[in-house]
């Protein structure tokens, strides 16, 4: 496919315990990560899939199962994987009536994604789904490697921030990313001070680099 304007390859992983009460927080972290990547267009569907894939682990493997959420954007596609340690409990696509209390999870995943499947390894499985990303979208990381590195560092710090339940997605991303960036800067200043360096001098040099590259 013509991948002009496609999103560069990026990955994000999150280990978690598959418990119903933790799904909302997992969704919010995924929402933030996709906003940092500029992929708000698929965020709602991606969060729905994570909910159903985690629910599948809870139902068929067991509550409290150690699992991993892995997300990758590359070659114009977004891939979401949920890993768990039981290769025997396979998800099944079944037809469920609209008033059925269960059985619709994988049907929903099938309806909102381009494709889905299961990869099996010894003692482990990964249930995955993929979305085609909009072509020609503006990539917020296209400014260069500094922006890419900044987003990666902020992503590492997000887990240390209590993600608030804010109703407006763009507002959520801005608030949490800003708080994470502040924590990054503060930690670096503490490190510089511990090394006997002058934090103010380093900040001035960093500001000079920023101003020179911004014009």
């Amino acid at each position: 496919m013509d991948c002009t304007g496609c999103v560069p390859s990026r990955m994000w992983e999150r280990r978690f315990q598959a418990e119903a009460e933790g799904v909302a927080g997992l969704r919010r972290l995924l929402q933030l990560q996709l906003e940092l990547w500029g992929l708000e267009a698929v965020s709602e569907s991606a969060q729905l899939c994570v909910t159903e894939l985690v629910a599948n682990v809870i139902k068929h493997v067991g509550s409290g199962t150690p699992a991993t959420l892995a997300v990758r954007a590359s070659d114009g596609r977004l891939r979401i994987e949920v890993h768990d340690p039981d290769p025997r409990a396979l998800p099944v696509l079944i037809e469920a009536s609209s008033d059925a209390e269960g059985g619709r999870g994988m049907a929903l995943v099938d309806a909102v994604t381009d494709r889905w499947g299961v990869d099996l390894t010894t003692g482990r499985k990964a249930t995955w789904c993929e979305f085609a990303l909009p072509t020609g979208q503006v990539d917020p990381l296209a400014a260069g490697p500094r922006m890419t590195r900044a987003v990666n560092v902020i992503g590492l710090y997000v887990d240390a921030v209590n993600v608030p339940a804010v109703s407006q997605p763009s507002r959520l991303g801005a608030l949490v990313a800003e708080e994470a960036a502040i924590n990054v800067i503060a930690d670096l200043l503490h490190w510089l001070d511990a090394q006997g360096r002058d934090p103010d001098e380093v900040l001035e040099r960093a500001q000079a680099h920023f101003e020179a590259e911004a014009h």
Side-chain angles (χ1 to χ4, degrees), residues 61 82-87 89-91 118-121 123-127:
V61 184
V82 172
H83 299 247
D84 72 70
D86 191 346
L90 300 179
V118 182
D119 292 339
L120 300 177
T121 58
R124 197 164 186 82
K125 75 171 180 289
T127 307

Side-chain angles (χ1 to χ4, degrees), residues 31 35 165-175:
Q31 175 185 339
E35 287 183 6
V166 181
S167 60
Q168 300 177 3
S170 60
R171 180 70 172 166
L172 169 66
L175 287 173

Side-chain angles (χ1 to χ4, degrees), residues 69-83:
L69 171 63
V71 184
R72 182 172 73 248
S74 64
D75 298 328
R77 305 188 72 82
L78 177 71
R79 183 181 176 98
I80 295 174
E81 300 178 356
V82 172
H83 299 247

Side-chain angles (χ1 to χ4, degrees), residues 105-197:
M106 297 313 299
L108 288 172
V109 172
D110 185 68
V112 301
T113 64
D114 292 296
R115 58 179 183 170
W116 67 275
V118 182
D119 292 339
L120 300 177
T121 58
T122 302
R124 197 164 186 82
K125 75 171 180 289
T127 307
W128 56 268
C129 59
E130 289 186 348
F131 302 84
L133 297 176
T135 59
Q137 68 182 54
V138 176
D139 182 5
L141 301 187
R146 285 196 185 277
M147 186 68 76
T148 301
R149 291 195 296 267
V151 169
N152 288 337
V153 171
I154 288 174
L156 293 174
Y157 271 70
V158 162
D159 289 352
V161 177
N162 292 323
V163 182
V166 181
S167 60
Q168 300 177 3
S170 60
R171 180 70 172 166
L172 169 66
L175 287 173
V176 178
E178 179 180 315
E179 184 65 26
I182 292 172
N183 285 326
V184 171
I185 296 170
D187 286 352
L188 290 175
L189 292 178
H190 281 292
W191 181 86
L192 288 166
D193 185 62
Q195 300 300 314
R197 309 294 293 180

Side-chain angles (χ1 to χ4, degrees), residues 14-121:
R14 169 77 175 186
R15 294 182 180 180
F16 65 97
Q17 301 292 319
E19 298 174 338
E21 55 268 27
V23 173
L26 197 62
R27 285 174 58 112
R28 289 197 294 271
L29 286 174
L30 174 63
Q31 175 185 339
L32 172 62
Q33 192 64 43
L34 293 180
E35 287 183 6
L36 290 173
W37 290 350
L39 301 179
E40 295 92 335
V42 296
S43 179
E44 184 175 347
S45 295
Q47 291 178 67
L48 170 63
C49 289
V50 166
T51 297
E52 299 303 335
L53 294 181
V54 174
N56 198 70
V57 174
I58 294 172
K59 180 177 180 180
H60 297 291
V61 184
S63 180
T65 297
T68 301
L69 171 63
V71 184
R72 182 172 73 248
S74 64
D75 298 328
R77 305 188 72 82
L78 177 71
R79 183 181 176 98
I80 295 174
E81 300 178 356
V82 172
H83 299 247
D84 72 70
D86 191 346
R88 299 167 300 171
L90 300 179
V92 178
L93 178 61
I94 62 175
E95 293 186 6
S97 62
S98 59
D99 58 350
E101 294 184 0
R104 296 196 299 270
M106 297 313 299
L108 288 172
V109 172
D110 185 68
V112 301
T113 64
D114 292 296
R115 58 179 183 170
W116 67 275
V118 182
D119 292 339
L120 300 177
T121 58

